[in-house]
Amino acid sequence: MMDCIATCFSHFGAVRFKKLCDENAWPARMMPVPRDLSSSCGTCVRYTGSLPDRVPEEIEQIVELHPSGYRLLYRAKDL
């Protein structure tokens, strides 16, 4: 299990991803996007889990939290 942040293209996308986390029993909470990460909507989901088998299209990027910063796990193709 990893500590991750998923940024989304919209607030609705963040709500849907939070629901996906709940369905997978991954502890998750919605929060403002950290300044080091950019986001279209300003809302992200911080969760403890893994990279989803199929990343929803509403997700802009998923990063893993590290003591030295972030490690990119997923980025939408058109960015």
Side-chain angles (χ1 to χ4, degrees):
M1 295 290 220
M2 305 176 283
D3 289 323
C4 301
I5 292 178
T7 62
C8 306
F9 291 111
S10 68
H11 182 76
F12 179 72
V15 170
R16 287 185 57 175
F17 189 76
K18 167 71 167 73
K19 184 176 179 179
L20 175 71
C21 291
D22 293 343
E23 291 169 359
N24 284 292
W26 298 338
R29 65 183 169 103
M30 292 179 59
M31 59 182 256
V33 175
R35 289 184 186 197
D36 296 345
L37 303 173
S38 65
S39 174
S40 298
C41 73
T43 304
C44 69
V45 177
R46 182 173 177 165
Y47 71 99
T48 302
S50 60
L51 190 62
D53 293 333
R54 191 171 149 230
V55 177
E57 64 184 34
E58 297 99 349
I59 300 302
E60 181 179 7
Q61 66 182 343
I62 298 175
V63 298
E64 181 182 8
L65 282 74
H66 277 266
S68 61
Y70 304 104
R71 182 174 72 100
L72 183 65
L73 300 175
Y74 169 84
R75 183 180 302 255
K77 291 181 182 180
D78 295 335
L79 294 181

